[in-house]
Amino acid sequence: ASIEENKTRDRRLDWNHQGTVGAQQSQPSPERHAEANAVREPNNLSAARGDNTNSRSRGKAKKRQSTNDGDLYCKVFFGGGAKQQAPIGFVRTRSRLKSTFAHLRRVIENDLVPDVIKADWDWRFLVPNLGPLSKAQETKFGPALPFLQQASTAGGDGTSKSPLQVDLVEAPKPTVS
């Protein structure tokens, strides 16, 4: 190490990688120069210490993704499909990534009943292209936002600037006896 003390770092690393102690080049080869630079990068050093830098970047990506979560804003409409839609209000839940139809039902019932929706009205969510959602299905399909975005081209990303469109319809009458 004391022999290398007076040489530049590039020269030291180049000399160490040649395999013979006495042989030196006046100019480091491009490959050796790239190797020397790679050794000095912090990611390679942390990998040599056993740190898993890939999991760190994945953790940062997950952190960024979770920061994309926020309040879910829904613009609520009466009717859907062939019927004329009438806006009846909007609601907000705490998570765009986790709120299910069951969460939306609770918030709608707390915020819009009895002011806008009659307390005794039996309603269902209408999923465009699929049909009405039963109460039993409200928890089975996971988060409402991604489900509605996959099922339809209608309506928003769930932010206050672009609320998710939620259609409510009269509950279908039982047809099977």
Side-chain angles (χ1 to χ4, degrees):
S2 61
I3 296 172
E4 296 292 316
E5 191 173 336
N6 294 333
K7 295 184 180 179
T8 63
R9 181 172 253 190
D10 290 332
R11 299 282 295 181
R12 287 184 217 167
L13 293 173
D14 191 42
W15 178 82
N16 286 334
H17 290 288
Q18 287 180 353
T20 58
V21 176
Q24 293 183 10
Q25 294 178 351
S26 60
Q27 291 283 331
S29 70
E31 291 172 356
R32 297 218 186 269
H33 188 69
E35 287 176 12
N37 287 338
V39 171
R40 285 185 283 166
E41 291 178 4
N43 287 344
N44 289 341
L45 291 176
S46 61
R49 287 193 309 259
D51 295 343
N52 190 346
T53 56
N54 288 338
S55 68
R56 257 193 229 155
S57 10
R58 272 187 252 123
K60 287 179 184 176
K62 283 183 181 178
K63 194 173 191 178
R64 264 185 256 122
Q65 183 182 20
S66 67
T67 58
N68 289 338
D69 193 11
D71 293 344
L72 170 65
Y73 289 87
C74 298
K75 197 171 191 180
V76 183
F77 288 84
F78 171 71
K83 293 183 179 180
Q84 181 69 13
Q85 293 183 336
I88 57 175
F90 75 95
V91 294
R92 179 189 72 172
T93 67
R94 291 290 177 195
S95 174
R96 285 195 312 269
L97 301 178
K98 297 176 186 172
S99 294
T100 64
F101 288 101
H103 292 122
L104 289 175
R105 177 175 286 280
R106 281 193 298 273
V107 172
I108 288 169
E109 288 175 345
N110 287 335
D111 291 358
L112 300 180
V113 173
D115 296 337
V116 180
I117 298 174
K118 293 180 188 175
D120 63 345
W121 183 46
D122 191 18
W123 57 272
R124 300 289 184 268
F125 291 103
L126 178 69
V127 179
N129 302 326
L130 294 175
L133 195 68
S134 73
K135 286 185 181 182
Q137 292 174 315
E138 289 180 3
T139 56
K140 291 182 180 179
F141 289 106
L145 177 64
F147 182 76
L148 286 173
Q149 286 176 331
Q150 288 176 2
S152 143
T153 57
D157 63 2
T159 61
S160 59
K161 289 183 180 182
S162 179
L164 178 66
Q165 180 176 330
V166 176
D167 298 322
L168 307 182
V169 293
E170 187 79 30
K173 306 293 181 230
T175 57
V176 180
S177 328

